[in-house]
Amino acid sequence: MPYLTAPEDLASLLPDEPAYRADQLRAWLYETPVLDAAEMTNLPGSVRDRLDPLWPFTVEEQQEADRGRTIKWLFRAPDGAAIEAVLMGYRTRVTLCISSQAGCAMGCTFCATGQFGFERHLEAGEITAQVAYARAHLRAHPIPGSPERLGNVVFMGMGEPLANYGHVRESIRRMVDVMDMSARNVTVSTVGFLPGMRRLIDEPWP
């Protein structure tokens, strides 16, 4: 599953291929993501076949509301963990709400996820893949009346992001450094997890 491998280590998935194949794969995964490896047209068919499954989850359910301007996905990881993401199209921007954990241990009474309990942290690749999937979906299915580019990412789905600090930090690094997103357009929502807040303040991103 390519997204579970750090972008800098993609060559390890293609040990028998020329070095430039890893750069081509990185571009397809992070710069212009596609929904299916078959769309990676400059990679040999043998390489594309080895990338299956492309995503670290399957799409179990897709729901649409507001005439297709809001799209909610229920992704399912191979171990059965549920991952939810919501894409919201507005006139001037498109925002994606992503999950950082399967379930949540905070137990907030006002939050439905908190009532499910905590299952596990999501890996950095599982978090980043939600963003890449939304980008690929937008390229294939633009939201009417909204920009065709994903502009904002909000950690406001399932889980407390700052309780999964290492993986959340790495996912933000990939969004900013590899996917070329502005750090100012990435929002980390928290119930007030102070140790993580203090660590995030010291990070180099604006």
Side-chain angles (χ1 to χ4, degrees):
M1 296 181 186
Y3 283 102
L4 297 184
T5 302
E8 299 78 12
D9 298 331
L10 289 174
S12 66
L13 301 178
L14 309 170
D16 303 324
E17 296 292 327
Y20 67 84
R21 292 292 186 210
D23 294 332
Q24 291 175 322
L25 177 58
R26 186 180 303 109
W28 284 117
L29 295 176
Y30 294 100
E31 296 172 23
T32 54
V34 291
L35 293 174
D36 192 286
E39 300 175 61
M40 300 178 179
T41 50
N42 61 350
L43 295 179
S46 59
V47 172
R48 284 177 269 165
D49 291 342
R50 287 156 59 184
L51 298 176
D52 187 41
L54 178 62
W55 303 98
F57 44 64
T58 57
V59 182
E60 184 166 297
E61 187 176 348
Q62 175 177 311
Q63 297 179 346
E64 297 187 11
D66 192 21
R67 299 181 181 179
R69 297 174 68 88
T70 299
I71 303 169
K72 179 179 179 180
W73 290 295
L74 173 61
F75 301 123
R76 187 73 64 179
D79 65 357
I83 304 169
E84 292 186 350
V86 180
L87 188 68
M88 296 162 285
Y90 304 96
R91 184 177 59 83
T92 59
R93 68 188 187 281
V94 177
T95 297
L96 177 70
C97 177
I98 61 174
S99 295
S100 56
Q101 297 176 320
C104 185
M106 296 294 113
C108 301
T109 56
F110 57 81
C111 176
T113 303
Q115 309 311 305
F116 299 151
F118 175 73
E119 188 168 350
R120 68 171 175 84
H121 295 306
L122 297 187
E123 296 184 31
E126 293 175 306
I127 298 171
T128 312
Q130 297 171 64
V131 181
Y133 188 88
R135 274 187 163 184
H137 180 89
L138 275 173
R139 291 181 70 231
H141 310 285
I143 297 176
S146 297
E148 296 184 7
R149 185 178 184 274
L150 178 64
N152 299 277
V153 172
V154 181
F155 283 83
M156 203 178 286
M158 298 170 63
E160 165 54 57
L162 297 182
N164 184 19
Y165 194 88
H167 287 138
V168 167
R169 187 203 184 282
E170 170 61 14
S171 71
I172 296 173
R173 184 193 72 83
R174 295 184 192 184
M175 292 177 213
V176 175
D177 294 347
V178 186
M179 304 179 87
D180 199 29
M181 292 193 67
S182 168
R184 296 184 184 276
N185 291 341
V186 178
T187 300
V188 179
S189 177
T190 176
V191 298
F193 192 73
L194 285 175
M197 292 170 68
R198 294 189 178 105
R199 293 178 69 183
L200 190 61
I201 288 171
D202 291 333
E203 297 290 357
W205 305 306

